[in-house]
Amino acid sequence: MTKIAEEVGTPVYIYSRATLERHARVFREGLKDAGPIHLAFAVKSNPNLAVLRILANQGYGGDVVSGGELERCIAAGMKAEDIVFSGVGKSQEELLLGLDRGIGQFNLESEEEGIQLAEIAASRGETASCTLRVNPDVDAGTHAKISTGKKENKFGVAIDVAPDIYARLSKLDGLNLRGVAVHIGSQLQQLDPLEKCYRRMGQLLTELRAAGHEVTHVDLGGGLGVPYKPEDRPPSPAEYGAMVTEVTKDWNVTLMFEPGRVIAGNSGIMVTKVIRIKPGVNSDFVIVDAAMNDLMRPAIYDAWHHFEAVQPTGDMMIASIVGPICESSDIFAKEREVDRVATDDLGIFRTAGAYGATMANTYNSRPLVPEVLVDGDRYAVVAERIKPAAIMAAEQVPDWLK
Ligand SMILES: *Cc1c(COP(=O)(O)O)cnc(C)c1O
């Protein structure tokens, strides 16, 4: 770690190939008794090409929410037929791209989107495989900003109108409506909301079949949580798999899954260097060279990332860990007991492999944080640090201002 920090610089994300592979295997293993399954990694959680390649090699497809993510999956070697396209705002261009690339499934989020896709596909003499995403009105019990399955959320169609919409869409040329999809939120700490949601989907399935529809696929989404704090006890993939197996035992469909965080979260850390310690009123400030632009989760979701020194002395200190950005939300830990660190020491933020680098930006004209993949005793830079000069090069002052 010290070697990577010296050679690549800080801040830097570091991912473990072995951990990514283990998580991919453990998730699949949890579902071994659930019948035919399809696994699509939620690309938005970590879209790095090397990470996607590892998952492709584990037999995972990709769950994408934009044309850009779709192109990444293809570039990383995922099979087009294993790609699932989710998202409320797929544009005409993105629908076309999905058809051009021959992706496996569109998860429709509204009747309007279904009509639009049907028209495009029919005009090309094609049939697009799709599911209808349903909003089951279940409270995922997670942070409001990562909750997606309550009726006031923008995602999917309300479960009470789903059968009618399903009936109308299934008549359209250009669509092969083959099932339903659901995803109620992220970082779920309990199985209960998921179980409640899946049981509602089971009732919907019965209702759709009673109305004469052939339903062959049900996409159960992602959302399984990971431990960010030592005391966190989210359900394990094995417990999740057992619940799914029990709830869906009579469904007779291919079950589809879109795990993101549970695969990538604990596969990555962010390494940072202490710039200096500044005395504060309540506690000292540890000012590190990483900031909210590099790891946004604490600023936008009040998320907790465990901090520790790379070379702990055994001493502890109460401190607030902050970045250099000119925003009060640029804080990773508030008056927390952490390993005692001093200027130039290296520290780690744990569980940063999901929704970390992918949300990074260059606010305050900071460089874009690089990513490194470790494989045993070797490592490779899998995303370079993009310097402010490269970003500035894409800007120009118009002639009429010169
Ligand atoms: C974000 C998202 C996921 C992945 O969620 P995780 O909590 O990372 O597992 C899966 N499906 C859809 C539709 C999503 O928007």
Side-chain angles (χ1 to χ4, degrees):
M1 215 171 302
T2 307
K3 181 163 173 254
I4 294 173
E6 271 168 16
E7 293 178 5
V8 183
T10 53
V12 57
Y13 278 91
I14 303 180
Y15 308 131
S16 157
R17 174 185 181 175
T19 312
L20 281 162
E21 290 176 345
R22 188 175 75 245
H23 289 175
R25 278 198 308 271
V26 166
F27 190 82
R28 184 188 293 282
E29 182 65 17
L31 293 160
K32 64 182 185 310
D33 299 322
I37 60 168
H38 177 271
L39 300 173
F41 175 62
V43 172
K44 74 174 190 282
S45 68
N46 190 326
N48 183 276
L49 287 178
V51 170
L52 297 184
R53 172 64 69 98
I54 289 172
L55 288 155
N57 289 342
Q58 293 292 314
Y60 278 63
D63 170 55
V64 305
V65 292
S66 71
E69 288 188 352
L70 199 165
E71 296 288 45
R72 278 178 175 273
C73 288
I74 307 264
M78 277 178 182
K79 290 198 217 104
E81 70 211 51
D82 287 336
I83 298 174
V84 176
F85 201 158
S86 303
V88 287
K90 302 179 201 78
S91 67
Q92 173 96 357
E93 292 71 34
E94 288 174 321
L95 294 172
L96 269 169
L97 179 70
L99 291 172
D100 280 344
R101 294 284 181 268
I103 64 163
Q105 180 172 297
F106 293 84
N107 287 353
L108 304 174
E109 301 231 10
S110 63
E111 182 166 9
E112 294 74 9
E113 182 193 341
I115 294 169
Q116 193 179 355
L117 177 61
E119 275 169 11
I120 304 172
S123 74
R124 295 160 55 113
E126 294 173 11
T127 316
S129 288
C130 45
T131 64
L132 180 63
R133 179 165 173 186
V134 171
N135 184 323
D137 193 23
V138 170
D139 185 351
T142 186
H143 191 283
K145 287 184 185 160
I146 47 175
S147 208
T148 56
K150 292 195 74 185
K151 62 175 184 294
E152 62 268 31
N153 295 134
K154 68 180 177 181
F155 301 99
V157 302
I159 194 158
D160 44 331
V161 295
D164 287 348
I165 295 178
Y166 199 97
R168 292 196 291 272
L169 289 178
S170 62
K171 290 204 193 81
L172 299 181
D173 287 339
L175 293 190
N176 165 30
L177 188 58
R178 62 185 193 179
V180 283
V182 76
H183 172 75
I184 59 170
S186 198
Q187 183 53 10
L188 271 70
Q189 296 288 335
Q190 307 286 338
L191 284 183
D192 294 359
L194 285 167
E195 180 168 351
K196 196 163 151 196
C197 161
Y198 296 171
R199 290 200 186 279
R200 285 190 188 169
M201 296 302 278
Q203 288 160 6
L204 178 62
L205 185 63
T206 309
E207 203 176 322
L208 291 173
R209 282 182 171 153
H213 301 295
E214 197 186 341
V215 181
T216 57
H217 290 72
V218 179
D219 187 334
L220 296 177
L224 211 54
V226 298
Y228 283 97
K229 295 183 183 176
E231 67 269 25
D232 284 349
R233 290 281 174 278
S236 68
E239 290 163 330
Y240 172 75
M243 180 276 283
V244 167
T245 305
E246 158 62 22
V247 173
T248 65
K249 61 180 183 298
D250 302 320
W251 286 14
N252 223 339
V253 295
T254 296
L255 292 176
M256 305 176 74
F257 299 88
E258 303 166 347
R261 190 187 309 271
V262 72
I263 306 283
N266 267 320
S267 305
I269 58 171
M270 184 176 66
V271 180
T272 186
K273 190 192 247 178
V274 177
I275 296 176
R276 67 177 65 86
I277 313 284
K278 173 180 167 174
V281 175
N282 292 327
S283 68
D284 286 351
F285 290 106
V286 173
I287 304 170
V288 295
D289 65 359
M292 62 186 280
N293 70 301
D294 303 306
L295 176 60
M296 301 249 290
R297 297 187 66 260
I300 62 176
Y301 309 142
D302 304 315
W304 173 292
H305 284 273
H306 187 72
F307 177 84
E308 64 193 57
V310 169
Q311 283 168 330
T313 59
D315 274 0
M316 304 298 281
M317 67 196 289
I318 304 281
S320 290
I321 302 172
V322 300
I325 283 184
C326 300
E327 299 270 347
S328 292
S329 54
D330 185 23
I331 174 164
F332 293 107
K334 191 169 183 221
E335 291 159 25
R336 194 190 287 180
E337 183 172 31
V338 293
D339 287 338
R340 179 169 295 283
V341 285
T343 301
D344 287 341
D345 282 357
L346 293 174
I348 298 168
F349 289 104
R350 290 221 168 264
T351 323
Y355 306 103
T358 180
M359 285 191 189
N361 58 68
T362 59
Y363 184 43
N364 274 209
S365 289
R366 290 165 52 82
L368 194 63
V369 60
E371 297 162 86
V372 162
L373 181 68
V374 172
D375 178 27
D377 52 16
R378 61 180 168 180
Y379 79 84
V381 175
V382 293
E384 283 171 28
R385 191 183 308 280
I386 298 180
K387 303 266 170 58
I391 292 166
M392 218 168 21
E395 298 174 20
Q396 48 250 309
V397 177
D399 282 344
W400 40 264
L401 278 182
K402 283 178 189 159

